[in-house]
Amino acid sequence: VLFTGVFSFFLLALVRWNAVVACVSEESCGHAGPLVSPTPFAGWPLLGRLCGWLTVAVFVVYLCATMVEAWNDTTEAVGVSRYYRQRLGVLSDTELQSLAWAEVVHRLVRVQRENPFCLVQRHLSALEITNVIMREENVVIAIANLLLLPGDGLPSWLPRRLVFCRTPLYACRLCLLHGLFDARGRVSSKIKEGGEAAANLLSTRCRVVGALSGV
């Protein structure tokens, strides 16, 4: 991501494309001037410079969010790896790759019986563990089965895969899943209380995500 952003900024803001296009021979390249400008967006109109710097700012925010997400994922992966070694007896990545998912779930159920890691309920089954892991996917599948996602009113010549891409999936997660469930995957207390506050919360999320998706 960093390389793509820096390289795109170089091509967009620093390269003098008029000089590059005019450089067709050694003599013309000498008259065209420097191919790289020391000042970003040099020669651009005011509106163009504002749009350019706005694009750079959006990318910086996206880069920071990506770095934070990568750090969180790495920290979580290290914790999971430690748990697999200490509690489930999976001592190496090679062993984990050759281990069936059913065996992993079986070991989780056994650990829950011997030393509970889930305090909400004493006994866990393989189906309950799978449902917790697949909770977000199951909600999206249910919404699609109820025909609540866009796509039914599209022209027949327009492929449905253009609609069912990552953008609607991310929007669905931000609007519904992150509003319905808390960080631990449990139903949010605000949703449990119900009423107008919960409806306003989901409505605000939908409006904000819709505006960001449009941008």
Side-chain angles (χ1 to χ4, degrees), residues 119-206:
L119 304 179
V120 178
Q121 60 187 69
R122 177 67 180 179
H123 300 285
L124 284 178
S125 65
L127 178 61
E128 290 171 331
I129 294 176
T130 304
N131 286 339
V132 171
I133 296 175
M134 296 289 295
R135 174 171 288 181
E136 291 189 0
E137 287 76 7
N138 289 337
V139 171
V140 175
I141 292 172
I143 293 175
N145 290 337
L146 292 175
L147 303 179
L148 297 179
L149 292 177
D152 294 325
L154 295 177
S156 58
W157 52 267
L158 186 63
R160 292 173 63 88
R161 63 177 177 272
L162 296 180
V163 177
F164 294 100
C165 56
R166 289 189 177 271
T167 301
L169 177 60
Y170 290 153
C172 182
R173 285 181 174 177
L174 290 175
C175 290
L176 298 179
L177 303 179
H178 292 181
L180 294 176
F181 307 114
D182 58 14
R184 295 186 176 182
R186 299 174 300 185
V187 178
S188 175
S189 58
K190 296 181 180 180
I191 300 300
K192 289 182 179 179
E193 295 174 359
E196 186 176 355
N200 291 335
L201 175 63
L202 292 178
S203 177
T204 302
R205 280 180 174 271
C206 291

Side-chain angles (χ1 to χ4, degrees), residues 55-66:
T55 303
V56 173
V58 170
F59 170 77
V60 171
V61 173
Y62 173 74
L63 177 62
C64 294
T66 303

Side-chain angles (χ1 to χ4, degrees), residues 77-88:
V78 171
V80 171
S81 177
R82 186 182 302 113
Y83 185 87
Y84 268 59
R85 291 195 306 269
Q86 297 177 355
R87 295 297 183 89
L88 301 185

